[in-house]
Every structure is written in C-alpha cells, then in structure tokens.
C-alpha cells in the first residue's frame, strides 16, 4: 500500500490531508489548527517536489528513447544511400517495420485504456489539434494510403527476384497510417492525467517513428530527383549514390511497374507532410501530459470570407500563373535541350521574383497594420504556439542555407548573364521575404483573437434597475400592457440592453484593419501553396542551373540542396497552416 501511495503521489493524483487526534480541551484548538496548516503546507510542498521529480524522470526517459531511435535511424538511412556501404534498403525497412509495429501497438493500447478509464483525460487543450489541422492530416493520410497501394502493386512485380520485405513495409505502413490518423483525430487535444510515464514514452516513440518515416521518404525522394551529371557519373567517387528503385538486375513481371513507380513518387510530398503533421501533433500531446488547462480565455474561431476579395483573387491568379510556368518548366527541362532549359529557368526565376516581391510588400503592409492594431498580446504558456514559432524559425533555416550558398556562388563567379542575375535576384528577395514573413506570422500568432465584444459599446447596466424602470414605464401605459408580467430577461431584451457586466451589442462590421489583415493572409497563404508545390513536385533549378555544382563541386552541392530543400518545403506548408490561423484570429 505504501509503494502504491508513493507512486500515486509522484504522479500527483492522491493527496491525503493530515489527521490529528481529537482533544476535549478547547484551549488546544488554535494550536491544532496551526499545526494542521503547517502540516498541509509541508505535505503540499513535498507532493509538489515529488511530482516535479517524477515529471523530470519521465521527460528524461522519453527523451533518451527519442535520441537513441533517431541517431540509429539516421545511421541506417545514411548507410542505405550509398552503394559502397554494406547496408541496403531492406535493413532500413526492417528497422522501420519494427518501429511502426511498436508504435501502432502503443496507440491501440492508449485508445483502449483511455476509453475505459473515466479519469484518464480530465482536460482538453482546445488550442491543440484544431479541426483544420486534423483535416489536413486526414487529406495527407489518404494520399499516403494511395501511395502505399501503388507501392504494393509495384513491388509485387519484383517479388520473384527481390525481398518480400519491400511488400511487407508498405502494408504495415498502411495499417499504421489508418491507426495513427484515428488516434490523432480523437486524442490530439488530450491532457492525460494517468500513466504519465508510459504516455510520455509512447508519444516520444510515436514522434521518433514519424520522423524516421519522414527521413526515409525525404531521402528516397531526393535521390529520385537528383540528376548526376554525366562527367560526374562516369568518374570514380567514394560516395556513389544508389540508383532510385534499386532494380538494375531485376525485371518487373507486369507492364504497369513504370507507371506505378512514377505515380507513387508524385505522392511522396503528401506522405512527407503527413509524417511532419503527425510529429508536431505528437509533440504537443507530449507537452500536454499532466497539464491542467485553463479554458476561460479560449475563443471560438470560424472561417468565412466575408468582405475579403482582393487577396484571394490576386492569390489565385498568382497560383494559376505559377502552376502554368511550373508545367512549362517541367516539360522543357525534361526534353534535355540546353536552349529550352535556359528559357524554362528564366521563366521560373521571373515567376518566383514576382511572387516573393509581392509577398514582401504585403508583409510590410501587414506589419504596419499591426502597429495600429489595439489587440492585446497573448499571455501564458501554450505548447502549440511555441511549437509553431519554433518550427517556423527552424524550417526557414533550410531555405536560408540554399539562398546564401547560391548568392555566394553567383557573386563568386561574377554573375555573368541574365540567368545568373535572375538567380541572384531571386535568392536575395527570398531571404528578405522569409525574414518579413516570419515577423508577420509570429506577430499574428501572438495576438489575441478578435471577437465581437471588442466592438460593443462600453455601457454597463443593472438588469434589476432596468426592470423596475420598465415597470414604472409600463404602468403609465393604457389597458392591457399594465397586466403584463415582466421577467428580467424579457425586459433586458425588449430594451436592447445586455445583462449586467456585458456591453451593449452593436451590429458587427469588418473594420478596415481586419479586412486588410485578412486580405494579406489570404494572398500570402495562396502564394506559399504555390512555392510549396513547385519544389515538392520536382522543380530543381538548383541542379538544372549548374553554377552551384560547378562552384562547390557536385558532392557538396547535392548535400546542401538535399538537406536544405526538405526543410524549405516544410516551411512553406507550415506557413500555410500558420497563416490560416492568423486569418482566423484577425
């Protein structure tokens, strides 16, 4: 019994007030009461210290699990990339299968346990896992399921000459995505109060598994998109990149393999975003374990496009124009004609220059409007907001890296020709746009949501005084109105006056500052979707323009691009999510 009580006290669930023997002497009551207060203070302090120690231990244990899983996974992913290292994709997939099975088993256990225990989840964090984020998770999850189906159908054609693990992995991942999507849809807002140690370790295992799936997908997709120059491919290198697919000596047994392989590579961006969304939601759940949430400051936010027109229209025009130039770029670069390739690169650079310039001007206007905004800054700690800001800053580092490496390469070679001048201009403007957009989004995330109470008249009334006044007024009226029985609610409603402590409502109108902020958010959101689509679905001007590979050598340039670009792609999608939230709160 003692050990159980100590464990429960460590988790913060059992608190027993001190008991004292009764005494018949009233003179001892004051001393006894003082002793009880001192004993209560001592026990509460001791319980707080025990809870703090228990939380620190569970955080340490779960962090150790994450570090070990990620470092081992990084080693396996790195080893599976190169042909001259005796680790192949099968070894990596076996490791991922084990992780996925363990994580799926834990999520099922958590779901069953919390459904049976009434006091497992006493609080919900309304800021965590908003419906639009969970909706995005479901959308990306559906695309990932389709990708796994294509993979299974493709690998069946190689089963006669390749390992069956390549079929088992997408099957296991298919089940994992189904279970995890259901788990996060139901439990993303949970603040668990029971089995905190197990829950923290399980959530860190979930986070690690999703990050490993993300790294494996990014690596495979990057290898597929990396074009090795002929002079580099014919020479002997110590780091020979493994060919995508790995079927050089194995022929497919059906005719659809090439189509299926090309199809599931186009679905990789959705699978990559799914893993990152799931990782972020698992991290917020981990931070919310044992948290007591105060919801009195939460505001219900609704999406509508009332009085917002210019931003969405201009953003859609930019999106359609950008997609058109992206298609032209992909088609012309695929032909291999140097003249058409340079023309396609020039069109691509011009489109990006226009987009980031307009985005920079918009964010400057938005920051100026924030200076005039009277909304208070958000107070208090919030794991979701802290994660959003951290991911925004961290992910932008990848884009900063590519831009600055490009700037140094172009300036170092003299920036000769229109193509290099445009490349330099795009890189410089992108750096400026990233800085301004980060400031705009972070400032918007830290503002209190707008609600209609802010635009009501500051006239406060007492309903009982109004009722008495209404009685006197109605008794002066003739006939039937004198016998009418009034209630406080009816009186207040009939006089269009809010209850005590509430301001008088006025007809809601969208102010020019709110409208301008919403226009800017809508425009930036659509432009960030465009800047996500182009690199996510295959645009690689860093390789098509050879200045980076010539200046830094191909091996180093591949490392810079393939490490920085996935973070840059994620930055654009995370910016879309953050801008949508800023749009709702503006």
């Amino acid at each position: 019994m003692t050990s159980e009580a100590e464990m429960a006290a460590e988790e913060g669930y059992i608190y027993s007030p001190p008991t004292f023997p009764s005494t018949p002497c009233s003179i001892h009551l004051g001393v006894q009461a003082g002793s009880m207060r001192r004993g209560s203070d001592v026990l509460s302090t001791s319980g707080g210290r025990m809870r703090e120690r228990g939380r620190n231990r569970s955080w340490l244990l779960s962090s150790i699990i994450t570090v070990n899983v990620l470092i081992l996974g990084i080693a396996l992913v790195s080893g599976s990339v190169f042909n001259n290292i005796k680790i192949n994709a099968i070894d990596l997939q076996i490791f991922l299968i084990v992780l996925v099975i363990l994580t799926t088993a834990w999520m099922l256990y958590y779901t069953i346990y919390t459904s049976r225990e009434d006091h497992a989840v006493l609080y919900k964090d309304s800021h965590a896992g908003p419906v639009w984020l969970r909706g995005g998770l479901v959308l990306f999850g559906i695309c990932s399921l389709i990708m796994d189906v294509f993979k299974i159908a493709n690998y069946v054609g190689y089963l006669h000459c390749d390992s069956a693990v390549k079929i088992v992995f997408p099957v296991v991942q298919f089940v994992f995505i189904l279970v995890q999507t259901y788990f996060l849809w139901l439990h993303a807002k949970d603040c668990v109060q029971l089995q905190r140690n197990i829950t923290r370790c399980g959530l860190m295992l979930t986070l690690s598994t999703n990050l490993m799936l993300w790294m494996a997908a990014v690596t495979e997709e990057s290898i597929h998109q990396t074009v090795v120059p002929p002079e580099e491919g014919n020479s002997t290198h110590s780091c020979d990149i493994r060919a995508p697919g790995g079927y050089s000596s194995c022929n497919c047994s059906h005719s659809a393999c090439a189509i299926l392989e090309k199809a599931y590579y186009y679905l990789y961006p959705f699978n990559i975003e799914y893993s990152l969304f799931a990782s972020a939601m698992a991290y917020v759940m981990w931070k919310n374990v044992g948290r007591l949430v105060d919801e009195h400051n939460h505001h219900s936010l609704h999406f509508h496009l009332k009085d917002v027109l210019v931003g969405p229209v201009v953003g859609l025009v930019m999106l359609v124009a950008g997609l058109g130039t992206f298609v032209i770029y992909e088609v012309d670069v695929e032909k291999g004609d140097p003249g058409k390739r340079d023309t396609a690169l020039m069109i691509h650079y011009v489109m990006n220059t226009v987009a980031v310039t307009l985005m920079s001007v918009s964010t400057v206007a938005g920051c100026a409007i924030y200076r005039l905004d009277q909304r208070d800054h958000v107070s208090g700690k919030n794991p979701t907001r802290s994660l959003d800001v951290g991911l925004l800053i961290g992910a932008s580092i990848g884009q900063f890296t590519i831009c600055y490496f490009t700037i140094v390469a172009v300036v170092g070679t003299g920036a000769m020709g229109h193509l290099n001048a445009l490349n330099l201009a795009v890189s410089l403007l992108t750096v400026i746009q990233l800085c301004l957009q980060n400031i705009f989004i972070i400032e918007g995330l830290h503002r209190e949501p707008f609600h209609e109470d802010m635009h009501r008249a500051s006239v406060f009334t007492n309903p009982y005084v109004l009722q008495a006044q209404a009685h006197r007024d109605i008794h002066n009226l003739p006939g039937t109105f004198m016998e009418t029985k009034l209630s406080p609610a009816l009186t207040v409603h009939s006089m269009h006056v809010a209850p005590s402590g509430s301001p008088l409502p006025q007809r809601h109108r969208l102010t020019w500052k709110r409208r301008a902020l919403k226009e800017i958010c809508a425009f930036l959101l659509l432009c960030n979707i465009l800047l996500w689509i182009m690199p996510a679905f295959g645009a690689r001007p860093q390789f098509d323009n050879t200045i980076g590979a010539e200046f830094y050598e191909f091996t180093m340039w591949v490392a810079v691009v393939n490490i920085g670009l996935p973070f840059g792609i994620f930055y654009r999608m995370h910016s879309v999510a953050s801008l949508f939230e800023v749009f709702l709160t503006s």
Side-chain angles (χ1 to χ4, degrees), residues 463-486:
Y464 300 102
V465 175
L466 289 174
Q467 183 183 8
Q469 180 64 36
H471 273 292
R472 287 195 297 271
D473 294 340
I474 289 178
H475 278 297
N476 294 329
L477 297 175
T480 57
F481 291 98
M482 294 178 61
E483 299 176 358
T484 304
K485 185 176 181 180
L486 297 174

PDB file of all heavy atoms in Angstrom, residues 463-486:
ATOM      1  N   PRO A 463     -29.694  44.798 -14.670  1.00  0.00           N
ATOM      2  CA  PRO A 463     -30.995  44.372 -15.190  1.00  0.00           C
ATOM      3  C   PRO A 463     -32.138  44.626 -14.216  1.00  0.00           C
ATOM      4  O   PRO A 463     -33.273  44.826 -14.628  1.00  0.00           O
ATOM      5  CB  PRO A 463     -30.794  42.880 -15.457  1.00  0.00           C
ATOM      6  CG  PRO A 463     -29.651  42.480 -14.613  1.00  0.00           C
ATOM      7  CD  PRO A 463     -28.768  43.672 -14.518  1.00  0.00           C
ATOM      8  N   TYR A 464     -31.843  44.602 -12.896  1.00  0.00           N
ATOM      9  CA  TYR A 464     -32.920  44.808 -11.930  1.00  0.00           C
ATOM     10  C   TYR A 464     -33.368  46.265 -11.890  1.00  0.00           C
ATOM     11  O   TYR A 464     -34.549  46.572 -11.747  1.00  0.00           O
ATOM     12  CB  TYR A 464     -32.455  44.341 -10.558  1.00  0.00           C
ATOM     13  CG  TYR A 464     -32.091  42.881 -10.557  1.00  0.00           C
ATOM     14  CD1 TYR A 464     -30.762  42.474 -10.598  1.00  0.00           C
ATOM     15  CD2 TYR A 464     -33.081  41.897 -10.576  1.00  0.00           C
ATOM     16  CE1 TYR A 464     -30.425  41.138 -10.630  1.00  0.00           C
ATOM     17  CE2 TYR A 464     -32.758  40.565 -10.605  1.00  0.00           C
ATOM     18  CZ  TYR A 464     -31.435  40.186 -10.633  1.00  0.00           C
ATOM     19  OH  TYR A 464     -31.109  38.868 -10.669  1.00  0.00           O
ATOM     20  N   VAL A 465     -32.406  47.171 -12.065  1.00  0.00           N
ATOM     21  CA  VAL A 465     -32.783  48.578 -12.169  1.00  0.00           C
ATOM     22  C   VAL A 465     -33.602  48.816 -13.427  1.00  0.00           C
ATOM     23  O   VAL A 465     -34.610  49.527 -13.431  1.00  0.00           O
ATOM     24  CB  VAL A 465     -31.529  49.465 -12.165  1.00  0.00           C
ATOM     25  CG1 VAL A 465     -31.898  50.925 -12.391  1.00  0.00           C
ATOM     26  CG2 VAL A 465     -30.779  49.308 -10.844  1.00  0.00           C
ATOM     27  N   LEU A 466     -33.177  48.181 -14.534  1.00  0.00           N
ATOM     28  CA  LEU A 466     -33.930  48.315 -15.772  1.00  0.00           C
ATOM     29  C   LEU A 466     -35.327  47.724 -15.636  1.00  0.00           C
ATOM     30  O   LEU A 466     -36.298  48.253 -16.185  1.00  0.00           O
ATOM     31  CB  LEU A 466     -33.185  47.607 -16.901  1.00  0.00           C
ATOM     32  CG  LEU A 466     -31.899  48.286 -17.377  1.00  0.00           C
ATOM     33  CD1 LEU A 466     -31.204  47.393 -18.377  1.00  0.00           C
ATOM     34  CD2 LEU A 466     -32.218  49.629 -17.989  1.00  0.00           C
ATOM     35  N   GLN A 467     -35.453  46.622 -14.879  1.00  0.00           N
ATOM     36  CA  GLN A 467     -36.769  46.011 -14.699  1.00  0.00           C
ATOM     37  C   GLN A 467     -37.695  46.935 -13.935  1.00  0.00           C
ATOM     38  O   GLN A 467     -38.865  47.113 -14.291  1.00  0.00           O
ATOM     39  CB  GLN A 467     -36.614  44.678 -13.959  1.00  0.00           C
ATOM     40  CG  GLN A 467     -37.943  43.937 -13.792  1.00  0.00           C
ATOM     41  CD  GLN A 467     -37.759  42.657 -12.999  1.00  0.00           C
ATOM     42  OE1 GLN A 467     -36.676  42.423 -12.468  1.00  0.00           O
ATOM     43  NE2 GLN A 467     -38.800  41.863 -12.910  1.00  0.00           N
ATOM     44  N   ALA A 468     -37.180  47.545 -12.861  1.00  0.00           N
ATOM     45  CA  ALA A 468     -38.010  48.461 -12.087  1.00  0.00           C
ATOM     46  C   ALA A 468     -38.423  49.661 -12.929  1.00  0.00           C
ATOM     47  O   ALA A 468     -39.582  50.107 -12.892  1.00  0.00           O
ATOM     48  CB  ALA A 468     -37.245  48.921 -10.844  1.00  0.00           C
ATOM     49  N   GLN A 469     -37.485  50.181 -13.719  1.00  0.00           N
ATOM     50  CA  GLN A 469     -37.803  51.316 -14.578  1.00  0.00           C
ATOM     51  C   GLN A 469     -38.835  50.919 -15.626  1.00  0.00           C
ATOM     52  O   GLN A 469     -39.758  51.688 -15.935  1.00  0.00           O
ATOM     53  CB  GLN A 469     -36.525  51.815 -15.263  1.00  0.00           C
ATOM     54  CG  GLN A 469     -36.749  53.004 -16.192  1.00  0.00           C
ATOM     55  CD  GLN A 469     -37.225  54.238 -15.443  1.00  0.00           C
ATOM     56  OE1 GLN A 469     -36.801  54.483 -14.313  1.00  0.00           O
ATOM     57  NE2 GLN A 469     -38.148  54.985 -16.064  1.00  0.00           N
ATOM     58  N   ALA A 470     -38.720  49.728 -16.160  1.00  0.00           N
ATOM     59  CA  ALA A 470     -39.681  49.271 -17.160  1.00  0.00           C
ATOM     60  C   ALA A 470     -41.066  49.109 -16.563  1.00  0.00           C
ATOM     61  O   ALA A 470     -42.078  49.410 -17.201  1.00  0.00           O
ATOM     62  CB  ALA A 470     -39.203  47.945 -17.767  1.00  0.00           C
ATOM     63  N   HIS A 471     -41.132  48.618 -15.306  1.00  0.00           N
ATOM     64  CA  HIS A 471     -42.423  48.505 -14.629  1.00  0.00           C
ATOM     65  C   HIS A 471     -43.087  49.862 -14.504  1.00  0.00           C
ATOM     66  O   HIS A 471     -44.288  50.022 -14.762  1.00  0.00           O
ATOM     67  CB  HIS A 471     -42.233  47.879 -13.247  1.00  0.00           C
ATOM     68  CG  HIS A 471     -42.264  46.378 -13.272  1.00  0.00           C
ATOM     69  ND1 HIS A 471     -43.392  45.653 -13.566  1.00  0.00           N
ATOM     70  CD2 HIS A 471     -41.283  45.467 -13.049  1.00  0.00           C
ATOM     71  CE1 HIS A 471     -43.135  44.362 -13.506  1.00  0.00           C
ATOM     72  NE2 HIS A 471     -41.838  44.219 -13.198  1.00  0.00           N
ATOM     73  N   ARG A 472     -42.317  50.851 -14.109  1.00  0.00           N
ATOM     74  CA  ARG A 472     -42.891  52.190 -13.953  1.00  0.00           C
ATOM     75  C   ARG A 472     -43.356  52.736 -15.287  1.00  0.00           C
ATOM     76  O   ARG A 472     -44.422  53.356 -15.396  1.00  0.00           O
ATOM     77  CB  ARG A 472     -41.848  53.121 -13.330  1.00  0.00           C
ATOM     78  CG  ARG A 472     -41.591  52.849 -11.855  1.00  0.00           C
ATOM     79  CD  ARG A 472     -40.850  54.019 -11.205  1.00  0.00           C
ATOM     80  NE  ARG A 472     -39.528  54.214 -11.791  1.00  0.00           N
ATOM     81  CZ  ARG A 472     -38.418  53.612 -11.349  1.00  0.00           C
ATOM     82  NH1 ARG A 472     -38.487  52.785 -10.323  1.00  0.00           N
ATOM     83  NH2 ARG A 472     -37.258  53.842 -11.925  1.00  0.00           N
ATOM     84  N   ASP A 473     -42.574  52.480 -16.355  1.00  0.00           N
ATOM     85  CA  ASP A 473     -42.969  52.992 -17.663  1.00  0.00           C
ATOM     86  C   ASP A 473     -44.225  52.306 -18.183  1.00  0.00           C
ATOM     87  O   ASP A 473     -45.111  52.953 -18.747  1.00  0.00           O
ATOM     88  CB  ASP A 473     -41.831  52.796 -18.662  1.00  0.00           C
ATOM     89  CG  ASP A 473     -40.624  53.660 -18.301  1.00  0.00           C
ATOM     90  OD1 ASP A 473     -40.816  54.638 -17.554  1.00  0.00           O
ATOM     91  OD2 ASP A 473     -39.502  53.331 -18.762  1.00  0.00           O
ATOM     92  N   ILE A 474     -44.301  50.991 -17.941  1.00  0.00           N
ATOM     93  CA  ILE A 474     -45.445  50.255 -18.494  1.00  0.00           C
ATOM     94  C   ILE A 474     -46.719  50.550 -17.717  1.00  0.00           C
ATOM     95  O   ILE A 474     -47.814  50.557 -18.272  1.00  0.00           O
ATOM     96  CB  ILE A 474     -45.129  48.747 -18.519  1.00  0.00           C
ATOM     97  CG1 ILE A 474     -44.082  48.491 -19.602  1.00  0.00           C
ATOM     98  CG2 ILE A 474     -46.357  47.914 -18.766  1.00  0.00           C
ATOM     99  CD1 ILE A 474     -43.644  47.063 -19.713  1.00  0.00           C
ATOM    100  N   HIS A 475     -46.610  50.811 -16.383  1.00  0.00           N
ATOM    101  CA  HIS A 475     -47.806  51.158 -15.618  1.00  0.00           C
ATOM    102  C   HIS A 475     -48.402  52.473 -16.081  1.00  0.00           C
ATOM    103  O   HIS A 475     -49.578  52.739 -15.835  1.00  0.00           O
ATOM    104  CB  HIS A 475     -47.471  51.241 -14.127  1.00  0.00           C
ATOM    105  CG  HIS A 475     -47.463  49.881 -13.475  1.00  0.00           C
ATOM    106  ND1 HIS A 475     -48.579  49.090 -13.390  1.00  0.00           N
ATOM    107  CD2 HIS A 475     -46.446  49.176 -12.912  1.00  0.00           C
ATOM    108  CE1 HIS A 475     -48.277  47.948 -12.772  1.00  0.00           C
ATOM    109  NE2 HIS A 475     -46.977  47.983 -12.480  1.00  0.00           N
ATOM    110  N   ASN A 476     -47.624  53.288 -16.743  1.00  0.00           N
ATOM    111  CA  ASN A 476     -48.143  54.533 -17.291  1.00  0.00           C
ATOM    112  C   ASN A 476     -48.795  54.342 -18.645  1.00  0.00           C
ATOM    113  O   ASN A 476     -49.382  55.280 -19.180  1.00  0.00           O
ATOM    114  CB  ASN A 476     -47.014  55.563 -17.439  1.00  0.00           C
ATOM    115  CG  ASN A 476     -46.475  55.978 -16.077  1.00  0.00           C
ATOM    116  OD1 ASN A 476     -47.225  56.000 -15.093  1.00  0.00           O
ATOM    117  ND2 ASN A 476     -45.188  56.306 -16.032  1.00  0.00           N
ATOM    118  N   LEU A 477     -48.689  53.107 -19.201  1.00  0.00           N
ATOM    119  CA  LEU A 477     -49.319  52.833 -20.487  1.00  0.00           C
ATOM    120  C   LEU A 477     -50.745  52.357 -20.274  1.00  0.00           C
ATOM    121  O   LEU A 477     -51.081  51.792 -19.224  1.00  0.00           O
ATOM    122  CB  LEU A 477     -48.518  51.760 -21.249  1.00  0.00           C
ATOM    123  CG  LEU A 477     -47.095  52.169 -21.617  1.00  0.00           C
ATOM    124  CD1 LEU A 477     -46.384  50.987 -22.257  1.00  0.00           C
ATOM    125  CD2 LEU A 477     -47.101  53.373 -22.554  1.00  0.00           C
ATOM    126  N   PRO A 478     -51.619  52.508 -21.241  1.00  0.00           N
ATOM    127  CA  PRO A 478     -53.023  52.133 -21.069  1.00  0.00           C
ATOM    128  C   PRO A 478     -53.246  50.638 -21.215  1.00  0.00           C
ATOM    129  O   PRO A 478     -52.481  49.924 -21.855  1.00  0.00           O
ATOM    130  CB  PRO A 478     -53.720  52.878 -22.208  1.00  0.00           C
ATOM    131  CG  PRO A 478     -52.679  53.025 -23.273  1.00  0.00           C
ATOM    132  CD  PRO A 478     -51.391  53.205 -22.533  1.00  0.00           C
ATOM    133  N   GLY A 479     -54.372  50.201 -20.572  1.00  0.00           N
ATOM    134  CA  GLY A 479     -55.006  48.918 -20.851  1.00  0.00           C
ATOM    135  C   GLY A 479     -54.189  47.698 -20.558  1.00  0.00           C
ATOM    136  O   GLY A 479     -53.682  47.505 -19.463  1.00  0.00           O
ATOM    137  N   THR A 480     -54.066  46.878 -21.587  1.00  0.00           N
ATOM    138  CA  THR A 480     -53.570  45.514 -21.439  1.00  0.00           C
ATOM    139  C   THR A 480     -52.126  45.468 -21.025  1.00  0.00           C
ATOM    140  O   THR A 480     -51.686  44.489 -20.421  1.00  0.00           O
ATOM    141  CB  THR A 480     -53.726  44.773 -22.766  1.00  0.00           C
ATOM    142  OG1 THR A 480     -53.032  45.502 -23.768  1.00  0.00           O
ATOM    143  CG2 THR A 480     -55.190  44.678 -23.157  1.00  0.00           C
ATOM    144  N   PHE A 481     -51.335  46.474 -21.334  1.00  0.00           N
ATOM    145  CA  PHE A 481     -49.918  46.421 -21.028  1.00  0.00           C
ATOM    146  C   PHE A 481     -49.676  46.483 -19.537  1.00  0.00           C
ATOM    147  O   PHE A 481     -48.631  46.065 -19.066  1.00  0.00           O
ATOM    148  CB  PHE A 481     -49.187  47.577 -21.717  1.00  0.00           C
ATOM    149  CG  PHE A 481     -49.151  47.435 -23.196  1.00  0.00           C
ATOM    150  CD1 PHE A 481     -50.067  48.117 -23.975  1.00  0.00           C
ATOM    151  CD2 PHE A 481     -48.231  46.600 -23.808  1.00  0.00           C
ATOM    152  CE1 PHE A 481     -50.040  47.990 -25.350  1.00  0.00           C
ATOM    153  CE2 PHE A 481     -48.218  46.468 -25.165  1.00  0.00           C
ATOM    154  CZ  PHE A 481     -49.117  47.149 -25.952  1.00  0.00           C
ATOM    155  N   MET A 482     -50.649  47.025 -18.748  1.00  0.00           N
ATOM    156  CA  MET A 482     -50.447  47.148 -17.303  1.00  0.00           C
ATOM    157  C   MET A 482     -50.444  45.790 -16.633  1.00  0.00           C
ATOM    158  O   MET A 482     -49.868  45.612 -15.576  1.00  0.00           O
ATOM    159  CB  MET A 482     -51.541  48.024 -16.680  1.00  0.00           C
ATOM    160  CG  MET A 482     -51.478  49.472 -17.140  1.00  0.00           C
ATOM    161  SD  MET A 482     -52.806  50.450 -16.432  1.00  0.00           S
ATOM    162  CE  MET A 482     -52.427  50.281 -14.689  1.00  0.00           C
ATOM    163  N   GLU A 483     -51.102  44.790 -17.232  1.00  0.00           N
ATOM    164  CA  GLU A 483     -51.216  43.479 -16.599  1.00  0.00           C
ATOM    165  C   GLU A 483     -50.151  42.503 -17.096  1.00  0.00           C
ATOM    166  O   GLU A 483     -50.167  41.344 -16.758  1.00  0.00           O
ATOM    167  CB  GLU A 483     -52.603  42.905 -16.878  1.00  0.00           C
ATOM    168  CG  GLU A 483     -53.715  43.787 -16.324  1.00  0.00           C
ATOM    169  CD  GLU A 483     -55.087  43.256 -16.683  1.00  0.00           C
ATOM    170  OE1 GLU A 483     -55.120  42.208 -17.396  1.00  0.00           O
ATOM    171  OE2 GLU A 483     -56.088  43.834 -16.279  1.00  0.00           O
ATOM    172  N   THR A 484     -49.280  43.004 -17.921  1.00  0.00           N
ATOM    173  CA  THR A 484     -48.245  42.124 -18.464  1.00  0.00           C
ATOM    174  C   THR A 484     -47.210  41.828 -17.397  1.00  0.00           C
ATOM    175  O   THR A 484     -46.685  42.727 -16.759  1.00  0.00           O
ATOM    176  CB  THR A 484     -47.561  42.781 -19.659  1.00  0.00           C
ATOM    177  OG1 THR A 484     -48.566  43.109 -20.611  1.00  0.00           O
ATOM    178  CG2 THR A 484     -46.540  41.852 -20.282  1.00  0.00           C
ATOM    179  N   LYS A 485     -46.874  40.524 -17.227  1.00  0.00           N
ATOM    180  CA  LYS A 485     -45.854  40.113 -16.259  1.00  0.00           C
ATOM    181  C   LYS A 485     -44.496  40.107 -16.935  1.00  0.00           C
ATOM    182  O   LYS A 485     -44.316  39.448 -17.947  1.00  0.00           O
ATOM    183  CB  LYS A 485     -46.175  38.723 -15.717  1.00  0.00           C
ATOM    184  CG  LYS A 485     -45.218  38.299 -14.623  1.00  0.00           C
ATOM    185  CD  LYS A 485     -45.613  36.965 -14.038  1.00  0.00           C
ATOM    186  CE  LYS A 485     -44.664  36.541 -12.932  1.00  0.00           C
ATOM    187  NZ  LYS A 485     -45.012  35.243 -12.349  1.00  0.00           N
ATOM    188  N   LEU A 486     -43.585  40.876 -16.345  1.00  0.00           N
ATOM    189  CA  LEU A 486     -42.273  41.022 -16.958  1.00  0.00           C
ATOM    190  C   LEU A 486     -41.250  40.165 -16.250  1.00  0.00           C
ATOM    191  O   LEU A 486     -41.308  39.970 -15.035  1.00  0.00           O
ATOM    192  CB  LEU A 486     -41.834  42.487 -16.913  1.00  0.00           C
ATOM    193  CG  LEU A 486     -42.724  43.454 -17.710  1.00  0.00           C
ATOM    194  CD1 LEU A 486     -42.248  44.872 -17.449  1.00  0.00           C
ATOM    195  CD2 LEU A 486     -42.700  43.145 -19.177  1.00  0.00           C
TER     196      LEU A 486
END
